[in-house]
Amino acid sequence: MIRCLVVDDEPLALDILVDYIAKVPDLKLVKATTSAFEALALAQEEDIDLIFLDVQMPELTGIQFLNIIKGKCKVILTTAYSQYALDGYELDVADYLLKPIAFDRFYKAVVKVQQQQSLLAPAVLVPEKQNNGVPDFIFVKTEHRIQKIYINDILYIEGLKDYISIFTASERIITLQYMKKMEEVLPCAIFARVHKSYIVAIDKIESIERGRIQIGDKIIPIGDTYREAFFNKIQDRNI
């Protein structure tokens, strides 16, 4: 499922894209907004996979928007003006749709994003669960090999753009993957998402102070979106 955000200052253009998204089973609309600033906040705080982004907006142009989010998620530009295509591709957009947008062209752009995501999906392999219902290890695909990582060795995971870093006490493993995928495959009783860019191993937490977690020498912020769920998860362990 691809979680989508639509931003366009023209309500009619917004409605067309919302209607198109509803016709594709693999797309889930998170929000449709005419405000570039509202969309920017959502893109930075929520798990958004794909943004349909208008180029010409009064508050913030689509190109400025792209420069701020810096590859956090896939973007398909939508505009009535073809001269922005070069700027968009230099910023690594997934596709570029010229208005008025036909559904078949919209669907072709979505398929391209789905194909890109499918290349990322196999990067984490989870073996069969053990007797306690929790796997002992996972396999992750790195640049040159598939590496085995024991669950209990993981301290925390940090996400950046389309790849993640898995930190253990002895090494850092980099793999091409989304944070959302890691959150799905890791045992929820052992790990907690605490920020859009961080997942932590609960038993590796040394202290929590002023909205920050310390694991070894690393200080990890607790994001507002994840704060309540995180503290509810560790509540039973408090005395």
Side-chain angles (χ1 to χ4, degrees), residues 20 23-24 95 97 100-112:
Y20 285 176
K23 293 178 179 178
V24 182
D95 210 335
L97 299 179
I101 301 168
F103 179 75
D104 61 336
R105 182 64 184 87
F106 167 88
Y107 188 73
K108 182 179 179 181
V110 170
V111 169
K112 182 186 294 187

Side-chain angles (χ1 to χ4, degrees), residues 32 56 91 94 171 180 189 198:
Q56 287 194 320
L91 290 166
E171 61 182 329
K180 184 169 66 176
Y198 289 99

Side-chain angles (χ1 to χ4, degrees), residues 5 19 34 48 50 66 76 97 115 128 133 136 139 163 165 187-188 190 194 196 205-206 235:
L5 174 63
D19 181 60
T34 58
I48 304 295
L50 174 62
L66 282 168
I76 294 175
L97 299 179
Q115 290 172 341
E128 292 186 5
D136 287 338
F139 288 106
Y163 67 88
S165 295
C188 63
I190 300 175
V194 298
K196 61 185 176 67
I205 296 174
E206 297 177 13
Q235 185 174 7

Side-chain angles (χ1 to χ4, degrees), residues 116-129:
Q116 291 170 349
Q117 282 200 329
S118 69
L119 296 175
L120 297 176
V124 179
L125 306 175
V126 184
E128 292 186 5
K129 295 181 179 180

Side-chain angles (χ1 to χ4, degrees), residues 128-137 151-152 187 189-190:
E128 292 186 5
K129 295 181 179 180
Q130 306 303 308
N131 292 333
N132 61 359
V134 177
D136 287 338
F137 56 86
I151 296 291
N152 288 335
I190 300 175

Side-chain angles (χ1 to χ4, degrees), residues 7-25:
V7 53
D8 196 309
D9 65 315
E10 299 177 9
L12 179 59
L14 204 69
D15 290 343
I16 290 172
L17 287 173
V18 169
D19 181 60
Y20 285 176
I21 288 171
K23 293 178 179 178
V24 182

